[in-house]
Amino acid sequence: MSLKSKLQRMKGHMALDSEKRASPAAARAAEEARGQTAAGLAAEAGGAGAFQTAEALAKAGGVLEAVEVSARAGGVLETAEVLAKADGALEAVGVSGEAGGVLETAEVLAKADAALEAFGVSGEAGGVLETAEVLAKAGGVLEAVEVSARAGGVLETVDVLIKAPGAPKTSEVSAETIGVFVAAEASTEVTAPSPADAESLSAIPAQAGKPPIPFADKWSRMQAFPYFWEDEHVMIREVRYPIGQRHGAYTFSQLNEAIAIWEASGREHPLSAAGKKADELLFFDTETTGLSGGAGNAVFLLGYSRLEGEEVIVRQHFLPAPYAEATLYQSFLEQAQKSSHLVTFNGKSFDWPQVRTRHTLVRDQVPALPTFGHLDLLHGARRLWKAELESCRLGIIEQEKLDVFREDDLPGFLAPVRYFDFLHSQDPDVIEGVLRHNEKDVLSLITLYIHMTRLLADQPSSDVSVAERFEIARWYDALGDQETAMAGYRLVADSDHVWSNRAKLAIGHLYKKQKNWQQALTVWEACIASSGYVPEEVYIEAAKLCEHQLGDAEKALRYTRQAYEQWKKRGTLLRNRTQSEAAAYQKRIDRLQAKVQGSAAEQESLLSGFLDWSDEREEM
DNA sequence: TCGGGATAGTAGCAAAGTCA
DNA sequence: TGACTTTGCTACTATCCCGA
C-alpha cells in the first residue's frame, strides 16, 4: 500500500462512523452497550469484567469507548490486541496513547500491520520516540518518519531509525520521503479548513476583497501575517529582540562595536564593515525545496535579521503556494532594499544564486534585485578553523566557537519534507520548525560576524588561539597587508607552538618580498637552529638567498645538502614526485658544487697569479 | 545529490639577472 | 650570446565543502 493511500485510509478511519462499519444488529448492540458504558461501565472499569466488556464493545463497533474503559482498567495491551483485529486500530492507539500505554499498543498494532496508523496517532499522543523504535524494528521505517514528522518528533525518530538495524541512511529516508511528498503534492488538492479552522479565520481582521487565510489564528500565534499583492498573498513572520539580548557568546548590540572596530582598524579586509551602518547589513538565509539548484528548485522562505534602532528584527517571507512567487519577491524587495550588504553563510554559492534564478521567472512583475555587496562568512570560517574543526558547517561553528546550542532544532534536510507537507495541509504547525530553524540561522550569523571581527581585529579581550592567530596572519598576508601579517606571524614564531617554525618561514618570505635579504636569512637560520621540525623549504629558501643574493655558494650547497638528507629520511608515498624532487635536489647540488669548485679554482688561479707576480717582483 | 565560490597547486610566460 | 635560474604574474585545474 502506498503512503498516500495509507494516509487516505487513515483519514477515512477518522471520518467513518463506527456504526456504519458495524452490522445493523451490532449497531443496536453498540447503542445498548454505550448506554451501559455511560451509565455504569465506568464504575465497573476497575473490576475484572472490564476486558470482556471492552471486547464486547469492540465487536459491537464501540471501539473508542471500549479502549477508554479498558485503559482505565489497566488492560490496555489486551484490549488493543482485540481492537486491532477488529480494525479499530486507529482509535485504539489514540485513546490508549493518551492513557499512557503507547508503547505496548504500538507494538501490538505493528504486528497487526497497522503500523502507520498506530504511529501517526501515538506520535500525536506524545509517544513518538518509543513508537518509532518499535516501528523501525517492525520494518516500517519510512512510514515512521513520514508520520512522526507530522507529529513533530522528527529529530528523535530519525535518530532512532538511524540506529535501528537495517535502517536506510538518513539521506535515503529523506530523499524517498521528498519523492513521496512531491508526488502527493502534485496529485492532491489543498485541504479545506475544518469548521474549527474556519472559526479561527477571524483571528486576522478580514480585509475587504481578500481571500481568507487558512489557520489564520495559528499564523497569528507564530507572529506571522499575510501580505497581499496582485490577488495573491505570502506570509511575513516578524520577531523582534531587544538589542541587549544575548545570542551565544555576544549580545546583538556588539554588532555596532564590530563595525566600530573595522572603522578604527583602517584595514582593508573582505569582511570589513567600515563605512557601513548596522542596518545596512542584512543577515540572510533561505530555505528551499532542494539542493539541486536550477529553476526547478523553489525558494520558499527568505529570512533575514537586521539591526533596526534598538532592536534586532527577524523577518521571514514565506511562500504558502507555488504560484505566489511574484508576491514573495515583491514583499521581500520592499524590505531588503533598505540594506546594501548581504551577510550569509555559503550564500555566494547557494542562497543568492537560487534567489537570482527564481527571481528571473518573475522579473517582469517585480523590481530588479539590488546589487548587494556580499560578505560570505563560510570562506573566512574555513580559513580560520579548517584545520581545527571536523567540519565548517554553521551548526558545528555555533557549538565550538559561538556558544550557541540548539534544542529541538529541525535538521535542514527535513525542511523540504515539511514544506511539501505544508502545501498538502496548509497547517502552519507543520512549517513552524523550519521557520524557527531559519530564525536561529540568521541570528547566529550576527554572532558569527561579531566573533570573526573580534578575531580578525585581534581585540585584547578576545581569546585567540595560536592556530587562529597563524591563520589570521596568513589571511592578511594573502591580502597583501604585510604589516598585520608580520605582527601575527611574530607572535606565533615566539610561541612554543608546533607552528612556530611555519611562522618563521612565512616571516622570512615577507622579508624576502621586501628585499631585506639579511633579515630573511637571519630568521630562516634561527628556524634551522631550532629544536623543532624544520620544513625542507626553509633550507632551500636559505640556499637560494645565499646563492643569488648574498653570493655564498658554499653555504647554499651546505643548506641544499641538509634539505636533501632530511627529505630522503622523511620519504614520500608518491613515486613520481619522489623521482622528480630527487632529480631537482641533485641538479641544484651539482650546480652549486660546480660553482664552489669553480670559485675555488678561480681563487687558486688568482692566488697563483699573485704569486707569479710576486715572483716577478722578487726577480726584479 | 549538485552548483559554485574559494583555495591550493601547477603550468606557462616574460623579465631580469647571472654565468660560462 | 645563449642557457639557466628566479621572480612575479596570469590562467587554468583540481579539490573541498557548504547550502536544503
Side-chain angles (χ1 to χ4, degrees):
Chain A
M1 187 191 282
S2 72
L3 175 75
K4 196 181 154 193
S5 53
K6 282 182 178 181
L7 290 171
Q8 280 168 346
R9 186 181 147 195
M10 187 173 159
K11 276 185 189 167
H13 274 303
M14 300 283 266
L16 273 177
D17 188 25
S18 57
E19 280 96 332
K20 286 180 185 168
R21 275 188 271 125
S23 67
R28 275 195 302 278
E31 275 298 332
E32 290 168 22
R34 213 171 299 156
Q36 286 174 39
T37 305
L41 282 180
E44 293 169 25
F51 181 60
Q52 285 81 357
T53 311
E55 195 162 11
L57 278 169
K59 282 178 186 161
V63 175
L64 218 57
E65 294 85 341
V67 179
E68 197 155 8
V69 171
S70 77
R72 286 190 192 145
V76 175
L77 191 62
E78 294 84 349
T79 313
E81 198 155 4
V82 173
L83 291 175
K85 288 175 191 162
D87 201 19
L90 194 62
E91 295 86 339
V93 181
V95 181
S96 75
E98 280 165 22
V102 174
L103 188 60
E104 295 86 347
T105 314
E107 195 155 8
V108 171
L109 292 174
K111 287 178 193 160
D113 197 23
L116 186 65
E117 293 85 338
F119 193 44
V121 181
S122 76
E124 281 161 12
V128 174
L129 191 62
E130 295 86 345
T131 316
E133 199 154 4
V134 172
L135 289 175
K137 286 177 193 161
V141 174
L142 188 62
E143 292 85 341
V145 179
E146 306 296 350
V147 184
S148 76
R150 293 159 186 276
V154 177
L155 201 58
E156 297 88 339
T157 313
V158 171
D159 194 40
V160 170
L161 294 176
I162 288 165
K163 289 173 190 162
K169 288 178 191 167
T170 315
S171 58
E172 288 169 13
V173 172
S174 84
E176 203 176 331
T177 308
I178 291 165
V180 170
F181 273 97
V182 170
E185 197 261 322
S187 62
T188 53
E189 290 174 7
V190 169
T191 315
S194 68
D197 296 327
E199 193 181 322
S200 75
L201 295 177
S202 60
I204 290 178
Q207 299 187 40
K210 304 294 182 195
I213 308 298
F215 299 99
D217 61 333
K218 287 187 180 178
W219 280 118
S220 178
R221 271 203 302 278
M222 286 163 57
Q223 293 154 281
F225 297 91
Y227 169 95
F228 292 96
W229 186 76
E230 299 266 316
D231 298 331
E232 305 296 348
H233 79 277
V234 295
M235 300 305 296
I236 299 180
R237 177 169 180 258
E238 200 173 284
V239 186
R240 292 168 180 260
Y241 293 93
I243 200 170
Q245 170 98 28
R246 179 170 285 273
H247 183 73
Y250 305 100
T251 60
F252 294 129
S253 61
Q254 285 175 284
L255 178 60
N256 285 321
E257 290 170 28
I259 294 170
I261 287 168
W262 284 118
E263 295 277 9
S265 77
R267 287 174 187 154
E268 293 281 323
H269 195 282
L271 296 188
S272 172
K276 300 171 187 76
K277 291 179 191 151
D279 62 2
E280 289 175 41
L281 301 178
L282 202 68
F283 295 84
F284 178 72
D285 183 43
T286 66
E287 307 298 326
T288 71
T289 56
L291 281 177
S292 54
N297 194 27
V299 179
F300 66 82
L301 182 66
L302 299 165
Y304 52 83
S305 62
R306 179 165 57 189
L307 242 71
E308 293 183 18
E310 291 303 301
E311 287 178 317
V312 164
I313 298 183
V314 174
R315 208 170 276 124
Q316 295 168 307
H317 301 248
F318 177 73
L319 181 72
Y323 45 77
E325 260 188 311
T327 309
L328 179 75
Y329 285 95
Q330 176 67 30
S331 72
F332 170 70
L333 289 169
E334 275 179 16
Q335 289 292 333
Q337 280 170 337
K338 295 172 189 167
S339 296
S340 60
H341 283 72
L342 297 178
V343 185
T344 64
F345 198 80
N346 201 31
K348 277 187 179 174
S349 303
F350 185 76
D351 299 277
W352 198 241
Q354 298 265 31
V355 169
R356 272 207 311 262
T357 303
R358 298 303 299 193
H359 174 268
T360 308
L361 304 176
V362 294
R363 66 183 170 190
D364 295 341
Q365 304 163 60
V366 301
L369 289 177
T371 45
F372 284 118
H374 199 149
L375 315 182
D376 190 337
L377 304 185
L378 163 67
H379 308 289
R382 222 187 263 167
R383 266 188 178 273
L384 293 177
W385 301 308
K386 189 182 175 182
E388 189 185 342
L389 299 181
E390 53 167 298
S391 152
C392 283
R393 287 198 308 274
L394 183 58
I396 303 282
I397 293 169
E398 281 180 345
Q399 286 177 38
E400 300 296 323
K401 298 288 171 188
L402 306 179
D403 295 340
V404 173
F405 303 97
R406 301 194 187 208
E407 287 172 9
D408 301 328
D409 187 47
L410 182 85
F413 70 84
L414 285 175
V417 179
R418 287 293 180 96
Y419 183 61
F420 288 123
D421 196 11
F422 170 84
L423 291 177
H424 184 77
S425 69
Q426 291 289 301
D427 185 346
D429 284 349
V430 173
I431 207 71
E432 188 175 6
V434 179
L435 295 171
R436 299 215 182 275
H437 171 85
N438 177 265
E439 181 185 340
K440 286 276 180 352
D441 277 352
V442 296
L443 291 176
S444 288
L445 285 177
I446 299 179
T447 307
L448 178 59
Y449 185 72
I450 295 168
H451 186 62
M452 289 177 77
T453 295
R454 293 172 67 84
L455 287 180
L456 290 165
D458 199 10
Q459 289 299 286
S461 57
S462 57
D463 187 16
V464 189
S465 71
V466 177
E468 283 171 336
R469 208 177 280 287
F470 181 80
E471 297 298 349
I472 291 164
R474 222 162 59 85
W475 198 352
Y476 279 112
D477 195 353
L479 293 170
D481 185 344
Q482 295 186 3
E483 196 183 332
T484 309
M486 182 73 92
Y489 284 142
R490 275 189 208 284
L491 289 167
V492 180
D494 292 343
S495 75
D496 53 3
H497 194 269
V498 286
W499 287 4
S500 168
N501 278 349
R502 282 182 67 183
K504 288 186 186 119
L505 174 63
I507 291 170
H509 274 303
L510 284 177
Y511 279 131
K512 191 180 169 186
K513 271 186 195 166
Q514 296 164 2
K515 301 195 189 300
N516 194 339
W517 318 121
Q518 196 54 58
Q519 283 275 41
L521 186 62
T522 303
V523 175
W524 285 333
E525 286 185 331
C527 187
I528 289 168
S530 75
S531 57
Y533 168 72
V534 182
E536 284 102 51
E537 194 188 343
V538 177
Y539 293 103
I540 294 298
E541 285 298 329
K544 280 184 193 171
L545 215 62
C546 289
E547 182 189 353
H548 299 291
Q549 267 67 48
L550 305 172
D552 191 343
E554 213 172 312
K555 214 179 202 180
L557 178 60
R558 194 165 71 239
Y559 285 144
T560 306
R561 280 181 171 150
Q562 275 181 278
Y564 191 31
E565 286 309 309
Q566 182 176 299
W567 177 82
K568 280 195 285 188
K569 273 186 211 162
R570 195 163 56 85
T572 173
L573 296 170
L574 300 168
R575 206 188 184 91
N576 291 339
R577 198 177 170 86
T578 302
Q579 286 172 351
S580 62
E581 282 185 1
Y585 273 115
Q586 201 53 59
K587 192 176 172 186
R588 188 179 291 275
I589 288 169
D590 290 348
R591 185 167 46 79
L592 284 166
Q593 238 166 358
K595 222 173 193 179
V596 170
Q597 281 165 1
S599 113
E602 193 181 339
Q603 267 191 339
E604 203 173 303
S605 160
L606 277 172
L607 190 60
S608 94
F610 172 75
L611 288 174
D612 290 345
W613 180 74
S614 305
D615 290 345
E616 281 169 22
R617 291 277 301 237
E618 277 173 14
E619 279 170 14
M620 279 172 72

